[in-house]
Amino acid sequence: MALSALSALGLMATLAGCGATETNGPGVTLKLVAADYGDSKDNSSEKYWDALVEAYEKDNPGVTVDVTVLSWNDVDREVKKMVDAGEAPDMAQIGTYADYADADKLYEVDDLLSIPVQANFLSQLADAGKVRRIPYGMPFAASTRVLFYNKELFAEAGIKSAPRDWKELAADAEALNKAGVKIPYALPLGPEEAQAEAMQWLVSGGTGYVDNVGTYQLDSEESVRTFTWLQDELVAKGLTGSTAPAKLNRADAFAAFARGEVGMLNGHPSLTRIAADQGVDYGTAAMPGVDGRARATMGVTDWMMAFKQNGNREEIGHFLDYVYSDKNVLAFAREYDLLPVTSSASATMAADQDDADLAPFLDELPTAEFYPAGKTSWATVSAAVKQRIGRAVDPNAKPRAVLEQLQQTASTADQRSGS
């Protein structure tokens, strides 16, 4: 990976996280609401935050940090309830920030973090945290997508290597189908995370949710071509399994891959552990594009933000400098099979053989494209995509019509939000 000035940034970030800023004095309690990345009680994010807070409070006896960890099913909604009730936490680590920034409820990142810590964020992640060019969202965890394939099933179907373009992908899916594979290509466009699978295919087809100036382009010719191809070449030919893509959720697709029932699918880093735990001999490759490797992959980041309501700006900034030290960033990424959000931690992970399973995802990060999270309309658009994009590939549907309806929803949401 081409990461510039890593040594200097890493040193500065370490210094910034070791008490470079003084807090205002005793008696301050900071409230943080965070999402749970664990899949069981044994690896709940509570354990990560408990250890981090214990170490921080030991060196900063005047500050107490009260952390509430909630499931991803609840955390965004519960934080919204708190904010609407006038009881905003000092910090929230959740999935979206733009609505709060647009309502002038958040501190700007420039007013919180020390310069070395802020400069250490990977640039494309930092850029995704801006509303009208002002940074409000701090990237907390990142992931990219690659193509996973079952090596054993590929061998049984006579396939020697991963597909490099859409034509090869369709041909491989046909071969897997003839070999009796239950789901040659898993296409999870169900409501759990359809916006992610859809974006991966949009990017591989040469487009995305928005154009270069941030205007939604869900019904562009490239988008229509992509979903028409999926409908004609995969779904209509029975190559996506017996469950309709509109009803197949990501978790179910991952579980099927771990059972050895799926030939290929898009996956994020946690699938490496899920598959390995079940003894699946898998390979990974860059996502195929229309005529060769896709120009980019899809990236996802979750966000940390700080609310102005309680006025603890200096204490919040000091704590977050500590949160973003290399030690803590790496500990979180390794525990939950995610990618670091800072340059120095990314360089450390890339050089460590113990993190070799994450190398393909790190390689994709510099060119990854992210959701338009800085648009206040994105929450509305994302919800609509989750519920409706799967219909675009139904055998009897007209992809253009479905995408035009989604474009109308996006345009209306954009006009109302002014983003």
Side-chain angles (χ1 to χ4, degrees), residues 92-117:
Q93 186 272 298
I94 52 178
T96 183
Y97 67 89
D99 285 352
Y100 300 124
D102 191 59
D104 195 30
K105 295 183 181 295
L106 300 181
Y107 284 116
E108 295 179 20
V109 178
D110 293 347
D111 294 332
L112 295 168
L113 300 180
S114 63
I115 292 174
V117 172

Side-chain angles (χ1 to χ4, degrees), residues 148 257-258 270-282 357:
F148 281 75
F257 186 81
S270 68
L271 186 54
T272 60
R273 174 177 49 81
I274 295 170
D277 287 348
Q278 297 300 317
V280 175
D281 185 12
Y282 69 88
D357 286 347

Side-chain angles (χ1 to χ4, degrees), residues 150 153 181-183 186 243 248-263 265 271 274-275 278 280:
N150 185 310
L153 297 181
V181 174
K182 188 174 181 179
I183 307 174
T243 301
L248 180 64
N249 283 324
R250 181 206 62 186
D252 296 327
F254 280 16
F257 186 81
R259 293 194 299 267
E261 298 172 356
V262 175
L265 81 169
L271 186 54
I274 295 170
Q278 297 300 317
V280 175

Side-chain angles (χ1 to χ4, degrees), residues 17-37:
C18 294
T21 306
E22 293 296 329
T23 60
N24 279 336
V28 176
T29 296
L30 300 178
K31 294 184 180 296
L32 166 64
V33 178
D36 193 353
Y37 289 77

